[in-house]
Amino acid sequence: MVQTESVRVWARTLVPNGPVYVIPNAAPPAGDEESPASRGRGEQRDVVAVGRLSPQKGFDLLLSAFARTAGEHPHWNLKILGEGSERAALESQCRQLGLQDRVQFPGWVT
């Protein structure tokens, strides 16, 4: 998988018989007038993370990063979907960071 058509052309030289897919970057280029953070100011917005609640997934780092920026984005909330051995620790970290009103752990969802 690559981000642009021009990189796809180059990647085909490395894997001539395999598929090469273009998946563009979801974030707008720097300098665009409307960034995802500025869109919908005043409206509730959700950042959603999905995965097994285990140390390898780094949800503890996500919670720390969200805590650092939460004050600047009061209309943004965080939802962490999934189950795993770190659930209790992550919920405790959430409370310690004072994010219990801004972070949800809905568990496993279809």
Side-chain angles (χ1 to χ4, degrees):
M1 289 180 262
V2 298
Q3 288 187 335
T4 65
E5 191 61 43
S6 62
V7 175
R8 182 201 313 236
V9 172
W10 170 78
R12 286 232 179 264
T13 66
L14 300 175
V15 286
N17 297 325
V20 179
Y21 300 101
V22 175
I23 300 177
N25 192 340
D32 276 9
E33 299 230 355
E34 187 177 20
S35 72
S38 66
R39 226 177 309 137
R41 287 201 191 273
E43 298 174 22
Q44 272 317 115
R45 308 290 258 168
D46 291 320
V47 175
V48 178
V50 180
R52 186 178 69 254
L53 305 183
S54 64
Q56 303 92 326
K57 299 298 182 177
F59 289 119
D60 58 330
L61 301 175
L62 176 60
L63 283 170
S64 295
F66 186 75
R68 286 193 304 273
T69 62
E72 299 169 33
H73 305 283
H75 300 291
W76 287 77
N77 294 309
L78 175 61
K79 290 184 181 181
I80 301 177
L81 308 177
E83 288 294 345
S85 62
E86 291 296 301
R87 184 191 226 337
L90 292 169
E91 290 174 332
S92 175
Q93 180 185 2
C94 179
R95 285 188 300 276
Q96 290 171 358
L97 293 169
L99 296 173
Q100 58 273 20
D101 294 332
R102 305 273 307 273
V103 178
Q104 295 176 358
F105 294 90
W108 187 89
V109 296
T110 57

